[in-house]
Amino acid sequence: MISENNIKTNSLAAWILAARPKTLTGAMVPVMIGTAWAWKIGGSGQFRIVPAVLCFLFAFLMQIDSNFINDYFDCVRGNDDRATRMGPRRACSEGWITLPAMRTGLAVTSLLACMAGLPLVFYGGWEMIGVGAACVLFAFLYTTFFSYLGLGDVLVLVFFGFVPVTFTTYVILPDHLQAVCADVILSGLACGLVIDTLLVVNNYRDRDNDRRDGKRTLIVHLGERRAEKLYQWLGVLGILLMYNLLFVGRENGFLYCVLTLILYAPYGILHGKTSALMMRIKQGRDLNIILAQTARNMFVYGLSTALLILVS
């Protein structure tokens, strides 16, 4: 673990901290689920490894790019004031990375993400350029525009749910199997709901500062108690959607029910404990513990969901 004390300006350690490695589970989980669907639909004989790797690489780079964008623009707008900030320390506001260097960094990560995504044209067609361009565009618009209107959660559902799950499945499969089916779309919704827990706890922690800065997030609109309920139910709905999708109405329903309980038990227990701890802490920097636990929980959910897809 990198110590945040005595970070040299524009050093490798500074860039690693700015990349926010703990958030990369949000990029990994939807691609993991989409990859499981591709294996389920096409089998090992129809599974294409190169686009799968490219999807993971594109997702990781876009997540880092989004973090750089958020770091830069929040610093420029003065939203990362050190005296009042509740979240983890940010690279630009702390002086670890200069603003000109961060502008270069986010330009480089945007370019690298585009370079990783461009070969997907050979697997999914020219429409992949439009998908990739939308991902880059909305990475900027999230921080600079939509998050101030309370629409950040909608973007999470789209770009951490529907888009990565469906298009990962699509490009991995060969041409004669490529289709966007209802099962994959619904699993994208379930994935987006669970990943939104990360944004919910982030905005829950910052609700007072966001209200002061005119940032009307969904949590600012809902208030403390309803935000806590939202966090709880997002995880529950993520499980219920996948159970209904994969096992309701199937033969051997009891067996699948037991299997679902076994595989989702770790996530359910962890999510419940994290929810209870969040409601006890309520305010302050201690909520950063909830942020880290939520990132862990999302990974557990993604792993359980991928396994359930494969065995269903």
Side-chain angles (χ1 to χ4, degrees), residues 17-60:
L17 289 172
R20 309 180 197 174
K22 291 180 181 179
T23 67
L24 296 183
T25 56
M28 179 189 303
V29 167
V31 179
M32 186 189 308
I33 293 173
T35 300
W37 272 116
W39 188 281
K40 172 71 175 178
I41 295 169
S44 59
Q46 305 290 337
F47 186 90
R48 300 191 290 189
I49 186 66
V50 172
V53 172
L54 290 173
C55 284
F56 275 107
L57 184 59
F58 177 77
F60 285 139

Side-chain angles (χ1 to χ4, degrees), residues 75-87:
C75 180
V76 169
R77 290 191 177 204
N79 293 347
D80 278 345
D81 177 63
R82 293 179 66 184
T84 60
R85 178 171 176 78
M86 294 292 107

Side-chain angles (χ1 to χ4, degrees), residues 21 41 52 58 70 72 89 99 107 109 119-120 125 131 153 164 174 183 210 222 240 242 275 287 294 312:
I41 295 169
F58 177 77
N70 180 258
Y72 176 81
R89 298 161 72 183
L99 291 177
T109 50
L120 292 173
V131 174
D153 303 83
D183 286 356
D210 287 343
L222 290 178
L240 292 178
M242 291 307 301
S275 298
L287 285 169
T294 300
S312 64

